[in-house]
Amino acid sequence: MVSASDRVKNPPRTSVWLDRRTPSRTRRTESPAGLDRNRITEASVRLLDAEGLAKFSMRRLAAELDVTAMSLYWYVDTKDDLLELALDSVYAEIAPPPEDTGWRERLRELARSYRELIVRHIWISPLAGTFLNIGPNSMLFSSAVMDVIRATGLPLERQTGALAAVFQFVYGFGTVEGHFKARCDATGLTQDAYHRHAMGTIRAQPHLRKIVETSDDLMAARGGDTVEEMRERDFVFALDLLIAGIETMCERTGSPTTAAQ
């Protein structure tokens, strides 16, 4: 049982970025040879990509690095510290869009990059909703997003709502896309083969076939010869709808929004 005095000495970790305390394990005079926080973080990302969040552990990471689990505690206090470090590190993969382009193109570029990040690293979806995302790379991404939202010309009180509309849509879209792709990879099927198999199974059941048949015209009108093409059309159009919504709100409030912005 943890006493009150222990809680005062070691308060709960809020974030690896807010709590700068050194790891609590007793250190020796020298750290393990060849090991540092960057190398540990890079190995964490590789392991999360390969095996997923559920299998990630300090013991498994230590084996990947060919060190003892205790060696990791020279640099981090908990597994959550590692997850926060890994989460922030992948945000460095999102390059800021060119500043000399209009806000619409910059917004599209950031949205597309964020979607690709979530699909590429499907483990970040639950972590992005768990941690504060205030690491240096995450904050640079947030800064780029806020610059674009400010450039829309929306009134200040509307800007966070626009940000939420666009990037929570991208978060949800990318999460579903990433998990579908991972499921297909796990079965050894392409996305198209998996989709055909699923739809064929549904159509073979009379009580479900009618539901699918009512959407046949809609699916045909959607266009695209592959699952990825259909998904891309949906993403582009949905993002265009959100941009049109921002433009409309600017017009309603009398705020300037031009192609040059």
Side-chain angles (χ1 to χ4, degrees):
M1 182 175 179
V2 179
S3 67
S5 61
D6 287 336
R7 284 195 294 270
V8 171
K9 293 177 182 176
N10 298 293
R13 170 81 83 181
T14 53
S15 169
V16 72
W17 306 110
L18 294 179
D19 188 350
R20 295 294 184 175
R21 68 189 181 202
T22 57
S24 60
R25 305 302 174 99
T26 302
R27 293 176 177 239
R28 299 173 187 170
T29 56
E30 297 180 359
S31 61
L35 204 59
D36 58 43
R37 180 173 275 196
N38 287 337
R39 185 184 170 203
I40 292 171
T41 301
E42 290 169 0
S44 297
V45 171
R46 289 197 305 272
L47 200 58
L48 287 162
D49 285 344
E51 300 183 0
L53 186 58
K55 294 183 179 180
F56 184 78
S57 68
M58 299 289 269
R59 187 183 300 275
R60 181 66 189 87
L61 178 61
E64 177 75 10
L65 289 165
D66 195 26
V67 299
T68 66
M70 288 299 294
S71 299
L72 301 177
Y73 290 105
W74 290 73
Y75 303 95
V76 295
D77 236 8
T78 67
K79 185 174 77 170
D80 280 358
D81 290 357
L82 284 175
L83 294 176
E84 273 198 276
L85 292 168
L87 174 62
D88 184 70
S89 73
V90 297
Y91 275 93
E93 298 173 19
I94 300 179
E99 294 182 1
D100 58 351
T101 55
W103 69 262
R104 296 164 184 81
E105 288 310 309
R106 283 190 284 156
L107 185 58
R108 288 189 180 95
E109 180 62 28
L110 284 170
R112 181 174 298 280
S113 295
Y114 187 42
R115 169 194 169 193
E116 291 172 352
L117 184 77
I118 294 171
V119 173
R120 190 162 56 246
H121 307 290
I122 61 172
W123 49 270
I124 78 172
S125 292
L127 296 186
T130 300
F131 297 118
L132 294 176
N133 295 344
I134 55 173
N137 294 309
S138 178
M139 292 301 290
L140 286 174
F141 173 65
S142 295
S143 177
V145 169
M146 290 306 302
D147 282 346
V148 172
I149 294 299
R150 280 192 289 268
T152 64
L154 279 169
L156 194 61
E157 70 273 14
R158 304 288 188 183
Q159 291 180 13
T160 55
L163 186 155
V166 174
F167 287 94
Q168 288 187 26
F169 150 69
V170 177
Y171 173 87
F173 194 100
T175 297
V176 172
E177 179 182 3
H179 283 288
F180 179 75
K181 182 178 182 299
R183 178 61 179 168
C184 293
D185 291 343
T187 62
L189 297 173
T190 65
Q191 294 184 51
D192 294 324
Y194 189 95
H195 182 259
R196 285 193 300 270
H197 175 65
M199 296 306 294
T201 301
I202 291 172
R203 288 179 184 277
Q205 303 178 57
H207 66 292
L208 295 177
R209 184 174 60 244
K210 292 181 180 180
I211 298 175
V212 175
E213 288 175 348
T214 59
S215 64
D216 281 347
D217 290 344
L218 177 65
M219 298 299 289
R222 179 194 206 185
D225 296 326
T226 68
V227 168
E228 292 182 85
E229 288 175 0
M230 290 186 287
R231 187 190 296 119
E232 182 65 17
R233 286 171 182 256
D234 284 347
F235 181 81
V236 169
F237 183 66
L239 190 55
D240 283 346
L241 282 178
L242 290 167
I243 290 173
I246 292 173
E247 293 170 337
T248 299
M249 292 306 297
C250 285
E251 292 171 3
R252 286 184 182 179
T253 58
S255 303
T257 176
T258 66
Q261 287 180 307

mmCIF file of all heavy atoms in Angstrom, residues 130-155:
data_model
loop_
_atom_site.group_PDB
_atom_site.id
_atom_site.type_symbol
_atom_site.label_atom_id
_atom_site.label_comp_id
_atom_site.label_asym_id
_atom_site.label_seq_id
_atom_site.Cartn_x
_atom_site.Cartn_y
_atom_site.Cartn_z
ATOM 1 N N THR A 130 -4.864 9.298 -25.278
ATOM 2 C CA THR A 130 -4.492 8.971 -23.896
ATOM 3 C C THR A 130 -3.540 9.992 -23.306
ATOM 4 O O THR A 130 -3.696 10.416 -22.160
ATOM 5 C CB THR A 130 -3.841 7.576 -23.843
ATOM 6 O OG1 THR A 130 -4.768 6.601 -24.327
ATOM 7 C CG2 THR A 130 -3.433 7.220 -22.406
ATOM 8 N N PHE A 131 -2.551 10.396 -24.098
ATOM 9 C CA PHE A 131 -1.534 11.319 -23.615
ATOM 10 C C PHE A 131 -1.835 12.756 -24.056
ATOM 11 O O PHE A 131 -2.692 12.996 -24.905
ATOM 12 C CB PHE A 131 -0.155 10.886 -24.100
ATOM 13 C CG PHE A 131 0.264 9.534 -23.581
ATOM 14 C CD1 PHE A 131 0.506 8.468 -24.438
ATOM 15 C CD2 PHE A 131 0.391 9.320 -22.218
ATOM 16 C CE1 PHE A 131 0.890 7.227 -23.961
ATOM 17 C CE2 PHE A 131 0.771 8.081 -21.717
ATOM 18 C CZ PHE A 131 1.015 7.032 -22.594
ATOM 19 N N LEU A 132 -1.090 13.693 -23.507
ATOM 20 C CA LEU A 132 -1.353 15.111 -23.746
ATOM 21 C C LEU A 132 -0.851 15.611 -25.094
ATOM 22 O O LEU A 132 -1.255 16.677 -25.551
ATOM 23 C CB LEU A 132 -0.706 15.940 -22.626
ATOM 24 C CG LEU A 132 -1.303 15.754 -21.225
ATOM 25 C CD1 LEU A 132 -0.486 16.557 -20.207
ATOM 26 C CD2 LEU A 132 -2.757 16.199 -21.198
ATOM 27 N N ASN A 133 0.055 14.877 -25.725
ATOM 28 C CA ASN A 133 0.610 15.283 -27.026
ATOM 29 C C ASN A 133 1.220 16.679 -26.969
ATOM 30 O O ASN A 133 0.879 17.563 -27.776
ATOM 31 C CB ASN A 133 -0.468 15.230 -28.123
ATOM 32 C CG ASN A 133 -0.965 13.839 -28.397
ATOM 33 O OD1 ASN A 133 -0.330 12.867 -28.009
ATOM 34 N ND2 ASN A 133 -2.104 13.727 -29.044
ATOM 35 N N ILE A 134 2.122 16.871 -26.026
ATOM 36 C CA ILE A 134 2.769 18.170 -25.887
ATOM 37 C C ILE A 134 4.286 18.057 -26.045
ATOM 38 O O ILE A 134 5.019 18.928 -25.589
ATOM 39 C CB ILE A 134 2.418 18.806 -24.525
ATOM 40 C CG1 ILE A 134 2.761 17.861 -23.368
ATOM 41 C CG2 ILE A 134 0.952 19.211 -24.483
ATOM 42 C CD1 ILE A 134 2.600 18.488 -22.001
ATOM 43 N N GLY A 135 4.723 17.001 -26.697
ATOM 44 C CA GLY A 135 6.145 16.863 -26.988
ATOM 45 C C GLY A 135 6.547 17.838 -28.084
ATOM 46 O O GLY A 135 5.698 18.449 -28.746
ATOM 47 N N PRO A 136 7.836 18.031 -28.327
ATOM 48 C CA PRO A 136 8.302 19.037 -29.292
ATOM 49 C C PRO A 136 7.802 18.838 -30.715
ATOM 50 O O PRO A 136 7.427 19.802 -31.381
ATOM 51 C CB PRO A 136 9.834 18.920 -29.209
ATOM 52 C CG PRO A 136 10.092 17.581 -28.587
ATOM 53 C CD PRO A 136 8.945 17.329 -27.662
ATOM 54 N N ASN A 137 7.771 17.601 -31.195
ATOM 55 C CA ASN A 137 7.310 17.361 -32.560
ATOM 56 C C ASN A 137 5.803 17.536 -32.689
ATOM 57 O O ASN A 137 5.304 18.085 -33.684
ATOM 58 C CB ASN A 137 7.716 15.952 -33.011
ATOM 59 C CG ASN A 137 9.217 15.807 -33.120
ATOM 60 O OD1 ASN A 137 9.891 16.606 -33.761
ATOM 61 N ND2 ASN A 137 9.765 14.792 -32.477
ATOM 62 N N SER A 138 5.085 17.085 -31.695
ATOM 63 C CA SER A 138 3.638 17.267 -31.683
ATOM 64 C C SER A 138 3.274 18.746 -31.640
ATOM 65 O O SER A 138 2.340 19.192 -32.315
ATOM 66 C CB SER A 138 3.022 16.534 -30.486
ATOM 67 O OG SER A 138 1.623 16.739 -30.437
ATOM 68 N N MET A 139 4.019 19.527 -30.860
ATOM 69 C CA MET A 139 3.734 20.955 -30.764
ATOM 70 C C MET A 139 4.039 21.682 -32.076
ATOM 71 O O MET A 139 3.334 22.633 -32.443
ATOM 72 C CB MET A 139 4.544 21.561 -29.614
ATOM 73 C CG MET A 139 4.108 21.076 -28.238
ATOM 74 S SD MET A 139 2.371 21.446 -27.862
ATOM 75 C CE MET A 139 2.445 23.224 -27.680
ATOM 76 N N LEU A 140 5.053 21.245 -32.803
ATOM 77 C CA LEU A 140 5.333 21.831 -34.110
ATOM 78 C C LEU A 140 4.193 21.560 -35.083
ATOM 79 O O LEU A 140 3.800 22.435 -35.873
ATOM 80 C CB LEU A 140 6.649 21.281 -34.669
ATOM 81 C CG LEU A 140 7.930 21.818 -34.028
ATOM 82 C CD1 LEU A 140 9.146 21.073 -34.586
ATOM 83 C CD2 LEU A 140 8.069 23.319 -34.273
ATOM 84 N N PHE A 141 3.651 20.334 -35.029
ATOM 85 C CA PHE A 141 2.492 20.003 -35.871
ATOM 86 C C PHE A 141 1.294 20.860 -35.482
ATOM 87 O O PHE A 141 0.611 21.422 -36.341
ATOM 88 C CB PHE A 141 2.162 18.520 -35.732
ATOM 89 C CG PHE A 141 0.890 18.111 -36.411
ATOM 90 C CD1 PHE A 141 0.753 18.184 -37.784
ATOM 91 C CD2 PHE A 141 -0.187 17.633 -35.668
ATOM 92 C CE1 PHE A 141 -0.427 17.811 -38.417
ATOM 93 C CE2 PHE A 141 -1.363 17.259 -36.286
ATOM 94 C CZ PHE A 141 -1.486 17.340 -37.659
ATOM 95 N N SER A 142 1.054 20.995 -34.186
ATOM 96 C CA SER A 142 -0.059 21.816 -33.708
ATOM 97 C C SER A 142 0.109 23.270 -34.144
ATOM 98 O O SER A 142 -0.866 23.935 -34.523
ATOM 99 C CB SER A 142 -0.154 21.746 -32.182
ATOM 100 O OG SER A 142 -0.470 20.440 -31.754
ATOM 101 N N SER A 143 1.340 23.760 -34.110
ATOM 102 C CA SER A 143 1.603 25.129 -34.530
ATOM 103 C C SER A 143 1.291 25.326 -36.005
ATOM 104 O O SER A 143 0.688 26.335 -36.400
ATOM 105 C CB SER A 143 3.065 25.488 -34.255
ATOM 106 O OG SER A 143 3.373 26.783 -34.702
ATOM 107 N N ALA A 144 1.687 24.353 -36.834
ATOM 108 C CA ALA A 144 1.401 24.439 -38.270
ATOM 109 C C ALA A 144 -0.099 24.421 -38.525
ATOM 110 O O ALA A 144 -0.609 25.163 -39.383
ATOM 111 C CB ALA A 144 2.083 23.285 -39.007
ATOM 112 N N VAL A 145 -0.817 23.584 -37.777
ATOM 113 C CA VAL A 145 -2.277 23.511 -37.920
ATOM 114 C C VAL A 145 -2.919 24.838 -37.530
ATOM 115 O O VAL A 145 -3.793 25.360 -38.239
ATOM 116 C CB VAL A 145 -2.838 22.361 -37.056
ATOM 117 C CG1 VAL A 145 -4.361 22.448 -36.977
ATOM 118 C CG2 VAL A 145 -2.416 21.015 -37.629
ATOM 119 N N MET A 146 -2.499 25.400 -36.407
ATOM 120 C CA MET A 146 -3.079 26.658 -35.953
ATOM 121 C C MET A 146 -2.772 27.805 -36.916
ATOM 122 O O MET A 146 -3.608 28.696 -37.125
ATOM 123 C CB MET A 146 -2.583 26.995 -34.546
ATOM 124 C CG MET A 146 -3.121 26.086 -33.457
ATOM 125 S SD MET A 146 -4.941 25.969 -33.450
ATOM 126 C CE MET A 146 -5.409 27.692 -33.256
ATOM 127 N N ASP A 147 -1.589 27.807 -37.517
ATOM 128 C CA ASP A 147 -1.257 28.831 -38.513
ATOM 129 C C ASP A 147 -2.235 28.783 -39.683
ATOM 130 O O ASP A 147 -2.679 29.827 -40.182
ATOM 131 C CB ASP A 147 0.172 28.624 -39.033
ATOM 132 C CG ASP A 147 1.228 29.128 -38.059
ATOM 133 O OD1 ASP A 147 0.864 29.863 -37.116
ATOM 134 O OD2 ASP A 147 2.412 28.775 -38.235
ATOM 135 N N VAL A 148 -2.557 27.564 -40.128
ATOM 136 C CA VAL A 148 -3.485 27.416 -41.247
ATOM 137 C C VAL A 148 -4.892 27.853 -40.844
ATOM 138 O O VAL A 148 -5.570 28.550 -41.601
ATOM 139 C CB VAL A 148 -3.491 25.953 -41.748
ATOM 140 C CG1 VAL A 148 -4.587 25.757 -42.785
ATOM 141 C CG2 VAL A 148 -2.148 25.582 -42.334
ATOM 142 N N ILE A 149 -5.333 27.443 -39.662
ATOM 143 C CA ILE A 149 -6.679 27.803 -39.220
ATOM 144 C C ILE A 149 -6.809 29.317 -39.065
ATOM 145 O O ILE A 149 -7.837 29.916 -39.418
ATOM 146 C CB ILE A 149 -7.021 27.089 -37.891
ATOM 147 C CG1 ILE A 149 -7.094 25.576 -38.110
ATOM 148 C CG2 ILE A 149 -8.345 27.601 -37.325
ATOM 149 C CD1 ILE A 149 -8.140 25.112 -39.093
ATOM 150 N N ARG A 150 -5.759 29.970 -38.563
ATOM 151 C CA ARG A 150 -5.791 31.436 -38.459
ATOM 152 C C ARG A 150 -5.891 32.083 -39.831
ATOM 153 O O ARG A 150 -6.567 33.100 -40.012
ATOM 154 C CB ARG A 150 -4.540 31.935 -37.729
ATOM 155 C CG ARG A 150 -4.615 31.811 -36.215
ATOM 156 C CD ARG A 150 -3.489 32.573 -35.556
ATOM 157 N NE ARG A 150 -2.206 31.913 -35.785
ATOM 158 C CZ ARG A 150 -1.680 31.019 -34.966
ATOM 159 N NH1 ARG A 150 -2.316 30.651 -33.871
ATOM 160 N NH2 ARG A 150 -0.509 30.461 -35.230
ATOM 161 N N ALA A 151 -5.214 31.461 -40.821
ATOM 162 C CA ALA A 151 -5.202 32.034 -42.171
ATOM 163 C C ALA A 151 -6.547 31.918 -42.876
ATOM 164 O O ALA A 151 -6.771 32.595 -43.882
ATOM 165 C CB ALA A 151 -4.122 31.343 -43.012
ATOM 166 N N THR A 152 -7.452 31.093 -42.360
ATOM 167 C CA THR A 152 -8.766 30.971 -42.994
ATOM 168 C C THR A 152 -9.575 32.262 -42.885
ATOM 169 O O THR A 152 -10.473 32.504 -43.683
ATOM 170 C CB THR A 152 -9.590 29.843 -42.343
ATOM 171 O OG1 THR A 152 -9.852 30.171 -40.963
ATOM 172 C CG2 THR A 152 -8.870 28.512 -42.429
ATOM 173 N N GLY A 153 -9.266 33.071 -41.890
ATOM 174 C CA GLY A 153 -10.043 34.282 -41.675
ATOM 175 C C GLY A 153 -11.238 34.094 -40.774
ATOM 176 O O GLY A 153 -12.003 35.032 -40.550
ATOM 177 N N LEU A 154 -11.413 32.909 -40.232
ATOM 178 C CA LEU A 154 -12.510 32.667 -39.304
ATOM 179 C C LEU A 154 -12.341 33.539 -38.060
ATOM 180 O O LEU A 154 -11.215 33.807 -37.636
ATOM 181 C CB LEU A 154 -12.536 31.200 -38.879
ATOM 182 C CG LEU A 154 -13.176 30.190 -39.819
ATOM 183 C CD1 LEU A 154 -12.870 28.771 -39.341
ATOM 184 C CD2 LEU A 154 -14.686 30.398 -39.914
ATOM 185 N N PRO A 155 -13.446 33.968 -37.457
ATOM 186 C CA PRO A 155 -13.341 34.674 -36.177
ATOM 187 C C PRO A 155 -12.613 33.810 -35.161
ATOM 188 O O PRO A 155 -12.678 32.582 -35.219
ATOM 189 C CB PRO A 155 -14.804 34.899 -35.772
ATOM 190 C CG PRO A 155 -15.573 34.803 -37.039
ATOM 191 C CD PRO A 155 -14.838 33.834 -37.903
#
